[in-house]
Amino acid sequence: MMNPSIAAVERDARLVNARHHGVNPGEIAIGVIIGRTSEFFDFFVYAIASVIVFPKLVFPYVDPLTGTLWSFAIFALAFVARPIGTFIFMAIDDNYGRSAKLTIALFLLGGSTVALAFLPGYEAIGVASAWLLALSRVGQGVALGGTWDGLASLLAMNAPQNKRGWYAMIPQLGAPIGLIVASGLFAYMVNSLSAEDFFAWGWRYPFFVAFAINVVALFARLRLVQTPEFERLFTNRELQPAPVVETLQMEGKRVVIGAFAPLASFALFHMVTVFPLSWIFLNAQHETGAFLVIEVIAAAFGIAAIVASGYIADRVGRRTLLGSCAAAIAVFSGFAPLLLDGGQTGEAVFMVVGFVILGLSFGQSSGSVASGFSQQYRYTGSAMTSDLAWLFGAGFAPFVALYLSAQFGLVASGLYLLSGAVCTLVALRVNKTLSS
């Protein structure tokens, strides 16, 4: 039962919104995109720094490859901590309301991110630098578990029957937009500053920007979760949090299958964002800033592909599209290593083709997450499924891909990607409920 004083505050907030016009699907879509963009901007700022900054700052006592692997190991901690965050913040949601949950989660996310801007290096405090980096990363992961606001579900529930694919792709636009902003900002800092200035203070600036973006996203999302439409769905239990343990007991099979359904997409997600940057940074001769620009351009193709996924899914079905994309990812895994090792032209082709396939697949991955859940467990089940999908499909992808590639050549990264595609095809075959 929610605390009475908190319930009164949330009721008053809803009354304020009720005095204004209702929130239409377009406004919900904007709120969803702002929220997802802020999360993915934080994500990519950390990911880029884990390649070009943290190995040198935190692990200067080992070779660059080992330092990057250690950095990627800490990178994965957020994905391990995220389900724990969901467990904690679902309880906060149930007892204190969604506004309290989102406010605490986004300030924890912003605080953990901006703390990295003040991170001292190994030369200043020794191995404590790595422990502080890990602590901040765990804080980000726990916070991300609390940022699940149900707005994507609200958007899907307001979608016409023949436009479910279109509405399902809207939340996914935040990923490439976040990457464009993060990569563009780092590219500017790398290209406009000397190496000394960049490593002294330039890399820290994007982490301050991340905190500011989180504050904007917080108000945009609070504006929407307190609307009469959201309250109606909450009251009808369609967006009401259920205990995590109970959800896993009742819907555990669906959670596991749903986590594996988008596995190919989530594996490819890091294979065309974080991993190639690390490989280029460690092995290529050209400037890192130039590759960041390639990422920005490729991400723009990804946006177009995500939008296209909405049209295609509404015509052929989400299941058919995800299965076809998994097959395309399997094919792509065969020649992707050759492209990434093929100079700047090959790298550009690798990134553009990879982002197009990723956009078509990733654009519908969120829709597959919530498919089949009963009404009572849809909200919590969707959050847990998303957490596990990111953990299994993406959390360790940069580390595993870089380690295998360093040991056995780039062809090994292709095999890793192929395994993700196989898992998705198997999950889609088992999950008969995913038909639209």
Side-chain angles (χ1 to χ4, degrees):
M1 181 69 64
M2 185 184 295
N3 184 297
S5 61
I6 299 296
V9 172
E10 292 223 338
R11 184 185 64 249
D12 291 342
R14 293 180 187 118
L15 289 174
V16 169
N17 282 311
R19 295 190 187 105
H20 298 84
H21 62 83
V23 178
N24 58 49
E27 290 181 285
I28 299 173
I30 293 173
V32 170
I33 292 173
I34 292 174
R36 296 300 180 267
T37 298
S38 71
E39 293 173 18
F40 279 106
F41 178 77
D42 284 11
F43 171 89
F44 285 118
V45 165
Y46 185 95
I48 295 170
S50 69
V51 173
I52 66 178
V53 176
F54 296 147
K56 181 177 179 179
L57 180 75
V58 182
F59 306 106
Y61 51 90
V62 296
D63 62 89
L65 173 61
T66 303
T68 304
L69 288 172
W70 275 110
S71 183
F72 280 166
I74 294 177
F75 175 84
L77 291 178
F79 297 93
V80 177
R82 186 168 175 168
I84 300 173
T86 294
F87 184 88
I88 294 171
F89 281 100
M90 283 296 174
I92 294 175
D93 191 337
D94 190 39
N95 288 281
Y96 299 101
R98 196 150 307 159
S99 296
K101 182 187 87 163
L102 283 177
T103 301
I104 296 171
L106 286 174
F107 270 102
L108 176 60
L109 178 60
S112 299
T113 301
V114 79
L116 293 168
F118 300 98
L119 181 71
Y122 177 84
E123 294 182 357
I125 61 173
V127 295
S129 178
W131 285 106
L132 289 176
L133 179 64
L135 180 62
S136 294
R137 187 60 177 159
V138 169
Q140 287 181 318
V142 171
L144 284 170
T147 59
W148 185 267
D149 51 19
L151 285 176
S153 298
L154 177 62
L155 189 63
M157 292 171 188
N158 281 282
Q161 183 72 23
N162 62 339
K163 290 188 176 181
R164 288 182 176 178
W166 174 259
Y167 281 86
M169 70 83 188
I170 290 176
Q172 308 304 83
L173 291 171
I177 295 174
L179 176 61
I180 288 173
V181 178
S183 296
L185 185 55
F186 265 104
Y188 174 79
M189 302 302 287
V190 168
N191 292 329
S192 61
L193 298 176
S194 65
E196 292 77 12
D197 286 341
F198 176 79
F199 281 103
W201 61 269
W203 70 269
R204 301 176 187 272
Y205 178 73
F207 288 92
F208 290 111
V209 175
F211 181 78
I213 291 177
N214 275 327
V215 172
V216 174
L218 172 62
F219 285 103
R221 294 164 83 169
L222 289 179
R223 161 70 179 90
L224 290 172
V225 299
Q226 299 297 353
T227 60
E229 290 89 342
F230 208 93
E231 167 64 7
R232 174 178 55 80
L233 291 168
F234 183 88
T235 303
N236 293 339
R237 298 189 64 86
E238 294 181 11
L239 290 177
Q240 184 170 340
V244 172
V245 175
E246 179 183 334
T247 300
L248 292 176
Q249 289 175 341
M250 302 302 297
E251 301 276 6
K253 181 179 178 180
R254 294 187 188 278
V255 169
V256 173
I257 294 175
F260 279 93
L263 203 64
S265 175
F266 285 11
L268 180 60
F269 183 90
H270 277 173
M271 291 296 289
V272 297
T273 56
V274 184
F275 167 70
L277 178 62
S278 67
W279 185 260
I280 297 302
F281 186 73
L282 291 170
N283 298 283
Q285 301 300 317
H286 52 272
E287 295 293 331
T288 303
F291 188 78
L292 288 171
V293 173
I294 293 176
E295 278 202 330
V296 170
I297 296 172
F301 280 88
I303 291 176
I306 289 175
V307 173
S309 78
Y311 287 106
I312 297 172
D314 286 332
R315 283 157 179 77
V316 305
R318 185 181 298 135
R319 182 189 184 90
T320 299
L321 177 59
L322 288 176
S324 299
C325 287
I329 291 171
V331 174
F332 180 69
S333 69
F335 62 86
L338 298 176
L339 291 174
L340 190 57
D341 202 30
Q344 286 185 283
T345 300
E347 293 163 10
V349 174
F350 168 86
M351 293 297 291
V352 171
V353 173
F355 262 99
V356 169
I357 299 175
L358 174 64
L360 292 172
S361 178
F362 186 69
Q364 297 302 309
S365 63
S366 68
S368 68
V369 163
S371 177
F373 282 113
S374 61
Q375 179 176 303
Q376 181 177 357
Y377 300 107
R378 180 183 292 121
Y379 179 76
T380 303
S382 296
M384 291 299 300
T385 303
S386 179
D387 291 345
L388 294 178
W390 281 109
L391 175 61
F392 297 151
F396 296 94
F399 179 92
V400 173
L402 181 59
Y403 176 80
L404 292 177
S405 298
Q407 295 295 319
F408 308 106
L410 274 173
V411 66
S413 66
L415 293 175
Y416 176 79
L417 189 56
L418 176 62
S419 68
V422 171
C423 287
T424 288
L425 291 172
V426 171
L428 289 176
R429 183 175 181 83
V430 172
N431 187 12
K432 302 298 185 180
T433 63
L434 182 59
S435 58
S436 62

